[in-house]
Amino acid sequence: MDDKSVPELSVPENVTKTLFLVSNSASLEKALEKLIEIAKVPDRRFDLSTKNVVTAVLQLCRSLSSPSWRYLLLLSLKALRNMCAGEIRNQNAFLEQRGVETVMDVITSVGLTIDPDCEIIRVGLQLLGNYSVVGREHQCDVWYQLFPHSFLKIAGVRSREICDPLCMVIYTCCEGTDGLLTELSSEQGLPILKEIICTSSAVGLREDWLKLLLSKICIEGSYFSSIFFKLHSHPCVENNDIITNLAYQFVSEQAHLLSILSEILNEQLEHIVVSHVFALSIFGILKSAAVVVDFSNRGKDDLPTGSAPIDVLGYSLVILRDICACGHLTSSKEEGPKDVVDILVSSGLIELLLDLLRNLEPPTTIRKAMTQDQVKEATASSSLRGCPYKGFRRDIVAVLGNCAYRRRHIQDEIRDKNGILLLLQQCVTDDDNPFLREWGIWCVRNLLEGNAENQGVVADLELQGTADVPELARLGLQVEVDPKTRRAKLVNVT
């Protein structure tokens, strides 16, 4: 911007005097650029706080009403953002001078249209995020001036540059303030979350602030179902989130949400605390997706496949796999000490997974070893299904294996449901399921560990020639049978 245009601005003399003095500059543009650099240093931020610079810059923002001065507005917001980064005196001055109202006036002035000034909105949100970290008073100052209408308008802008800092502001406000989190998950707040997820899906946003927000609300909290079904225009559900209308089709935004939650769980597997409500909701969605998905064709793609129902089915399984892998971290004081895996199993998880597995066509290795008559018989069976995506069988086996890890009652339940031979048959390679063999071995190992009854079942199968136990042994496990007692035990082959 040409400095000759600056005198045309109607800026109070005390504002220009303060800014020129602290920056040792003779123009507003140069003064703001220097302030941005000065405020990056903690000691110099403190020095600025003693000279009322925050107040001067806010007054300048209120003077820049013409669209012609957008660049000066942007510089002003950047300077305020840096000054409010961890300096309590600047943050308090921002509060006293009604800084949130000024920032929102700036954002509104540039317009939240189809093609808004994303840079000004982005920096404005970053400023509000830095300001709101101080404590409850500052959080509520931001929240009650933006919630719900301003948040909703900003969330509707399909821009990753805006969506990420918006998630930062919302997460920072809600962190440690359960009342605000409840409001965000209310009927007023759900449209905001819906727009954020739709924007994330449209622009491919998977940044940390989005993940922190969704983890807090969906995985650790109890609001996942409300958000998930809000993403569909006409969901038809009953208790436990089971879809009752088979004509219901999942949408891509729902699959996108599940994919992000799956990514969060995978990244934070050893630290995240999963709510029982979230786990049961995912199980309900899995049951619904298993009814909706067409299993008549064998899928050729990994997740994501581009088919919303198949992706919902797959990501639900993957999420359950990881939940069952970190079961010791899946309870809260409010929900009680009961293991979330036990809750899922008592709701029918094992039975559902075994049924899904039984109805699948045999793995590639077994199909190749079948006689022509066996192939014809299997082909004629209408109950056999193909894997809807590459890895579906593997993911079922993985969930079962994680459930059975050092849980005697689950080991016994799988035996009681005649699942041991079925799972032994998964210890093979399969073209449609990468790493099926490894997950199958893991699952069988967990089934047999410390369980003499299960080991005895495998020994009997070996004696009968029913199970290919030597194949299992070549992969690192072996069942030994005492010739006198006929008791079986599992040993490692080294």
Side-chain angles (χ1 to χ4, degrees):
M1 181 183 297
D2 191 342
D3 289 345
K4 292 180 180 179
S5 63
V6 173
E8 299 176 9
L9 289 171
S10 178
V11 180
E13 184 179 351
N14 65 310
V15 171
T16 54
K17 183 178 180 181
T18 298
L19 297 179
F20 291 165
L21 182 63
V22 297
S23 65
N24 192 28
S25 303
S27 74
L28 283 175
E29 184 174 336
K30 294 296 183 184
L32 291 170
E33 288 174 348
K34 285 192 175 182
L35 273 180
I36 291 169
E37 295 303 313
I38 291 170
K40 290 179 179 179
V41 183
D43 290 344
R44 303 195 74 181
R45 280 200 298 270
F46 175 78
D47 183 57
L48 292 174
S49 71
T50 65
K51 299 175 180 177
N52 296 321
V53 179
V54 166
T55 300
V57 177
L58 285 171
Q59 288 179 318
L60 174 62
C61 288
R62 297 180 188 119
S63 302
L64 300 173
S65 57
S66 171
S68 304
W69 311 117
R70 285 192 176 189
Y71 184 62
L72 287 181
L73 277 174
L74 178 60
L75 293 178
S76 299
L77 292 179
K78 286 183 176 180
L80 288 167
R81 176 195 63 189
N82 292 0
M83 286 189 286
C84 286
E87 177 49 59
I88 185 65
R89 292 184 60 168
N90 284 333
Q91 292 160 337
N92 286 339
F94 192 84
L95 173 66
E96 293 165 4
Q97 297 298 319
R98 301 173 66 181
V100 175
E101 182 179 326
T102 300
V103 171
M104 288 312 301
D105 286 344
V106 171
I107 290 176
T108 303
S109 71
V110 301
L112 292 170
T113 58
I114 297 176
D115 186 26
D117 191 327
C118 291
E119 182 70 1
I120 282 183
I121 299 171
R122 181 180 68 85
V123 175
L125 290 170
Q126 291 173 340
L127 163 58
L128 296 182
N130 286 349
Y131 162 70
S132 60
V133 298
V134 184
R136 183 175 178 82
E137 184 179 11
H138 298 70
Q139 292 168 340
C140 291
D141 182 34
V142 172
W143 187 264
Y144 290 115
Q145 293 198 55
L146 274 68
F147 181 86
H149 303 297
S150 294
F151 278 145
L152 183 59
K153 288 181 180 179
I154 296 172
V157 180
R158 300 291 184 251
S159 164
R160 62 185 304 131
E161 289 78 13
I162 291 176
C163 190
D164 188 44
L166 174 63
C167 291
M168 174 185 67
V169 173
I170 294 175
Y171 176 82
T172 304
C173 287
C174 293
E175 177 67 6
T177 310
D178 292 337
L180 300 187
L181 192 64
T182 302
E183 285 190 28
L184 181 61
S185 305
S186 67
E187 284 302 312
Q188 282 187 305
L190 284 175
I192 300 169
L193 294 171
K194 176 182 177 180
E195 290 299 328
I196 287 174
I197 294 167
C198 288
T199 296
S200 170
S201 179
V203 303
L205 177 71
R206 310 179 80 90
E207 302 300 327
D208 288 344
W209 286 113
L210 173 66
K211 290 180 179 179
L212 284 169
L213 181 62
L214 293 179
S215 177
K216 187 78 173 176
I217 294 170
C218 297
I219 300 177
E220 301 172 50
S222 58
Y223 307 108
F224 165 73
S225 289
S226 300
I227 299 167
F228 184 83
F229 291 110
K230 186 73 174 179
L231 291 170
H232 197 283
S233 302
H234 304 289
C236 184
V237 299
E238 61 176 16
N239 292 337
N240 299 322
D241 304 324
I242 303 300
I243 298 170
T244 57
N245 183 357
L246 297 187
Y248 175 92
Q249 291 292 309
F250 294 101
V251 296
S252 60
E253 289 79 10
Q254 290 173 316
H256 178 74
L257 172 59
L258 289 175
S259 74
I260 293 178
L261 296 177
S262 171
E263 199 171 295
I264 294 169
L265 274 171
N266 188 262
E267 292 171 350
Q268 302 293 325
L269 193 59
E270 297 181 358
H271 309 288
I272 202 162
V273 176
V274 180
S275 75
H276 296 170
V277 174
F278 173 67
L280 287 172
S281 297
I282 293 294
F283 181 42
I285 291 168
L286 174 65
K287 288 189 281 188
S288 299
V291 175
V292 171
V293 166
D294 180 7
F295 288 86
S296 61
N297 295 318
R298 191 184 302 161
K300 298 180 180 179
D301 299 318
D302 299 314
L303 294 176
T305 65
S307 165
I310 292 175
D311 289 342
V312 166
L313 176 74
Y315 285 121
S316 297
L317 264 179
V318 173
I319 288 172
L320 288 172
R321 178 199 69 193
D322 290 340
I323 288 176
C324 293
C326 61
H328 63 292
L329 293 174
T330 51
S331 63
S332 64
K333 293 180 180 178
E334 294 77 12
E335 293 176 320
K338 191 172 182 181
D339 192 322
V340 75
V341 176
D342 291 338
I343 292 174
L344 288 167
V345 169
S346 65
S347 300
L349 177 63
I350 300 300
E351 183 175 1
L352 173 68
L353 294 178
L354 290 176
D355 285 345
L356 288 172
L357 198 57
R358 282 193 186 96
N359 289 330
L360 292 177
E361 61 184 0
T364 305
T365 300
I366 295 177
R367 291 202 303 270
K368 289 178 179 178
M370 293 168 67
T371 65
Q372 288 187 350
D373 290 341
Q374 288 173 324
V375 171
K376 290 179 181 178
E377 182 181 349
T379 304
S381 174
S382 59
S383 63
L384 293 182
R385 302 173 167 188
C387 290
Y389 67 89
K390 292 190 70 171
F392 177 64
R393 180 195 301 276
R394 173 204 62 212
D395 293 340
I396 294 174
V397 174
V399 178
L400 287 166
N402 287 345
C403 285
Y405 180 69
R406 295 183 178 177
R407 292 183 176 91
R408 175 60 183 260
H409 59 292
I410 296 177
Q411 295 172 340
D412 293 341
E413 180 176 346
I414 292 175
R415 181 186 70 246
D416 293 340
K417 295 184 182 301
N418 299 316
I420 291 181
L421 176 57
L422 176 66
L423 289 167
L424 280 168
Q425 293 168 342
Q426 312 308 313
C427 299
V428 295
T429 56
D430 185 9
D431 294 343
D432 299 324
N433 289 273
F435 302 106
L436 172 65
R437 187 187 194 193
E438 289 76 10
W439 277 109
I441 295 169
W442 164 254
C443 184
V444 172
R445 179 256 183 217
N446 291 343
L447 277 175
L448 302 184
E449 183 184 30
N451 194 312
E453 290 82 355
N454 285 1
Q455 294 170 12
V457 170
V458 175
D460 288 341
L461 292 170
E462 179 183 20
L463 293 173
Q464 298 165 18
T466 307
D468 189 8
V469 178
E471 167 69 7
L472 194 62
R474 287 196 297 271
L475 299 174
L477 297 173
Q478 177 176 301
V479 176
E480 292 184 352
V481 183
D482 189 296
K484 293 182 180 180
T485 64
R486 306 298 296 164
R487 299 280 296 179
K489 63 178 180 178
L490 181 70
V491 297
N492 289 321
V493 179
T494 58

